[in-house]
Amino acid sequence: MPEALQEVLEEFMRYINNDIPFRLLSLPDMKFVDRTIEYPYPLHSDRRSAVRALVEERVKYAILSHRWLEAGEPSYKDLQAEIRDQSTPGYTKLRNFCNLAREPHHVDFAWSDTCCIDKSSSAELDKSIRSMFRWYRNSVICIVHLAQSTSMKDMTKDEWFRRVWTLQELIAPKKTKFYITEDWVPLTDRDYDKGENGDAKILSAISNHTGISPRNLLHFEPGPFFLKERMEWAAGRRATRDEDIAYSLTGIFNVGLQIAYGEGADRAFVRLIEALMQVTSDTDILHWAGEAAVLPHTNALPPSPAAYRATCAKPISGSRPTDRFAMTNSGFRIKLAVFPSRLLSTDKGVSTLACDLPGVDEVVLEVEVLEKAALQMNPDDGYKWMIGVFNYIDTPVGPKIALVSGCYLLMTSSLSVVWIKLPTKDAITFEMKEMLFDRDYLQTVYL
């Protein structure tokens, strides 16, 4: 076999075994085929024609994005046993999807999360969830059914736009076609609505509703970047199983997370944050507000993407330090620039704090503290208020306050070594000129 052909065939089989779903529905008979099927592959003797043919002839499949029905969706076992109750709404939806995949979209294979995953296998379910983003990205067309919509004017009011899993199903595919109403009416007369040369009005409507830029809608790249922005996309979206709020974001951030239904929403989301901390030093991950996740070992990590939405509009500045924060057996370890503060007053739930920074008379902050009991702690009893800045800049001549600082409100006591991060309604920031400060203000604390 020529070397060029061997190389292409090896790459072709790698693609089959790694980058497409475990099984697909063969059209039009809607029977399962798995990765062992003899897919057509190119038979060319020269490298250029072989690679070209590989690209043109690779497995093409349509993928479904939809809202699950409360009951009646056909399962893997149903289709495997050829139990096909054509009178049920679930089977009708699957048949409509497969028919549209075949014509007008001209593909021979289709995938639906209702029936193409054997959910009785925890291992297969785990692998499928972790591969889902890649599967949607590699589809030739994503067919979205907006059953509650009747036109472009009301499409973004559809429940589909409020679910956590449909976020990655919106941004992962390269091409998307929307169908509306229970009758699967095409939203437009185009071959696809979202994609290069798609419908600009639809793209604009989706961008305005979701806050996702047109560039990200068309050319999204997964990874641990722009953390706060991407968390805000997910804030407010709902899930039937609470843990899915975290699991649905693993593909968007391109991090691995073992699926463990039953662990609870807080624990699942904190594990996602821990996974992100292992691959990024972006201090945006610390820039959140509200009550912390309820966990025994820390009170300093957020419980959901919504914590990143409850913040100020101005982004924080600063550097991307290495080894500044990490999760440990003793709690959340973080190196902060800690400055003493004084509680000046509290009025209508808003506390005014004076923070003493070196070289500055004082920085006055107005903060709504959610833990009202903390406001009653008397400094005469040894309680101390502190501001902990987390995005200071490391420089060769010493640490420096950034133009826009993000910080935590902390409390400690002269009688204890324990530090407490107090929950606040909004993320705390302040602005000032960049300024060097003494390293003595740097402290490693466990929260």
Side-chain angles (χ1 to χ4, degrees):
M1 179 181 294
E3 181 182 353
L5 177 58
Q6 180 64 36
E7 182 180 338
V8 168
L9 294 184
E10 288 176 358
E11 172 60 23
F12 190 79
M13 293 313 299
R14 187 210 64 78
Y15 176 80
I16 294 295
N17 291 322
N18 291 278
D19 293 338
I20 68 170
F22 300 129
R23 64 182 62 83
L24 296 166
L25 290 169
S26 177
L27 303 179
D29 57 2
M30 294 171 59
K31 292 184 179 296
F32 285 129
V33 295
D34 59 27
R35 289 172 171 174
T36 61
I37 187 176
E38 291 291 330
Y39 293 107
Y41 53 78
L43 295 175
H44 297 256
S45 58
D46 68 281
R47 184 183 302 271
R48 183 174 181 178
S49 62
V51 172
R52 181 183 178 90
L54 171 64
V55 173
E56 293 176 347
E57 299 297 330
R58 68 178 186 174
V59 178
K60 297 178 180 180
Y61 60 92
I63 201 163
L64 175 64
S65 180
H66 64 117
R67 280 283 293 117
W68 278 58
L69 303 174
E70 292 186 4
E73 297 282 8
S75 68
Y76 165 72
K77 290 185 176 181
D78 289 338
L79 265 68
Q80 189 181 42
E82 298 192 5
I83 300 174
R84 305 188 180 197
D85 187 348
Q86 302 197 24
S87 65
T88 63
Y91 187 81
T92 299
K93 176 169 60 174
L94 180 65
R95 186 183 65 244
N96 287 338
F97 160 61
C98 289
N99 288 343
L100 289 168
R102 185 71 172 171
E103 183 64 41
H105 296 295
H106 310 295
V107 294
D108 295 324
F109 301 100
W111 187 90
S112 168
D113 56 355
T114 56
C115 62
C116 293
I117 301 174
D118 181 2
K119 298 175 183 64
S120 66
S121 168
S122 58
E124 181 170 324
L125 180 61
D126 183 280
K127 291 179 182 178
S128 297
I129 288 175
R130 290 199 264 179
S131 303
M132 203 78 72
F133 185 96
R134 188 166 67 253
W135 293 351
Y136 274 87
R137 170 56 55 90
N138 291 334
S139 64
V140 70
I141 187 74
C142 176
I143 294 176
V144 177
H145 185 213
L146 304 179
Q148 299 171 332
S149 301
T150 59
S151 68
M152 192 184 304
K153 291 182 179 180
D154 68 357
M155 66 173 292
T156 56
K157 296 179 181 179
D158 197 284
E159 179 69 13
W160 186 87
F161 282 95
R162 296 192 289 272
R163 308 301 293 184
V164 293
W165 281 111
T166 56
L167 175 58
Q168 73 171 6
E169 294 166 17
L170 171 64
I171 60 180
K174 296 175 182 176
K175 293 182 179 179
T176 298
K177 180 63 183 175
F178 292 100
Y179 291 87
I180 57 175
T181 78
E182 295 290 347
D183 296 324
W184 293 70
V185 177
L187 184 59
T188 71
D189 58 2
R190 293 174 176 268
D191 292 339
Y192 55 89
D193 301 316
K194 185 185 80 76
E196 289 293 342
N197 302 315
D199 192 294
K201 290 183 179 179
I202 290 178
L203 194 68
S204 177
I206 294 174
S207 179
N208 291 337
H209 178 76
T210 61
I212 304 172
S213 69
R215 182 182 182 281
N216 275 312
L217 288 171
L218 294 177
H219 306 292
F220 178 81
E221 289 299 327
F225 330 117
F226 310 107
L227 299 177
K228 183 177 176 297
E229 177 187 15
R230 294 179 178 190
M231 289 293 185
E232 288 176 340
W233 297 347
R237 288 178 176 258
R238 300 195 291 265
T240 302
R241 304 179 78 166
D242 290 342
E243 295 90 346
D244 280 338
I245 293 173
Y247 302 159
S248 66
L249 296 175
T250 57
I252 290 173
F253 289 116
N254 196 23
V255 293
L257 196 67
Q258 185 174 2
I259 307 305
Y261 285 114
E263 65 177 321
D266 283 14
R267 178 58 186 149
F269 191 73
V270 166
R271 286 202 300 118
L272 173 66
I273 295 298
E274 292 176 13
L276 285 167
M277 287 180 175
Q278 292 176 9
V279 294
T280 182
S281 58
D282 188 348
T283 51
D284 262 357
I285 202 170
L286 309 173
H287 195 43
W288 61 276
E291 298 286 353
V294 179
L295 294 172
H297 59 297
T298 181
N299 69 338
L301 295 178
S304 76
Y308 292 89
R309 186 171 58 182
T311 185
C312 63
K314 184 176 287 296
I316 58 175
S317 53
S319 59
R320 293 173 180 263
T322 57
D323 198 32
R324 186 174 292 182
F325 51 84
M327 213 39 238
T328 73
N329 292 334
S330 300
F332 178 53
R333 187 195 75 225
I334 182 169
K335 193 173 185 179
L336 299 168
V338 179
F339 303 104
S341 301
R342 292 171 286 115
L343 179 62
L344 299 179
S345 64
T346 299
D347 181 40
K348 297 180 181 180
V350 178
S351 300
T352 302
L353 297 163
C355 179
D356 298 322
L357 269 69
V360 180
D361 289 339
E362 62 183 15
V363 174
V364 177
L365 302 172
E366 291 187 344
V367 181
E368 184 172 342
V369 182
L370 300 180
E371 193 172 315
K372 304 304 181 185
L375 301 175
Q376 310 304 318
M377 301 297 185
N378 193 333
D380 294 338
D381 294 331
Y383 292 101
K384 301 177 183 178
W385 296 78
M386 302 284 185
I387 290 293
V389 176
F390 52 73
N391 67 320
Y392 59 89
I393 305 169
D394 291 312
T395 75
V397 295
K400 182 169 62 174
I401 291 291
L403 290 172
V404 181
S405 291
C407 51
Y408 294 152
L409 178 59
L410 306 173
M411 177 172 278
T412 187
S413 167
S414 58
L415 304 177
S416 172
V417 296
V418 176
W419 290 79
I420 298 173
K421 177 188 180 297
L422 296 177
T424 57
K425 181 182 178 181
D426 297 302
I428 307 173
T429 61
F430 62 87
E431 297 180 61
M432 61 181 297
K433 293 182 179 180
E434 291 187 352
M435 178 191 69
L436 291 168
F437 62 91
D438 196 284
R439 293 186 184 276
D440 291 342
Y441 287 98
L442 298 179
Q443 293 192 51
T444 298
V445 302
Y446 290 83
L447 302 173

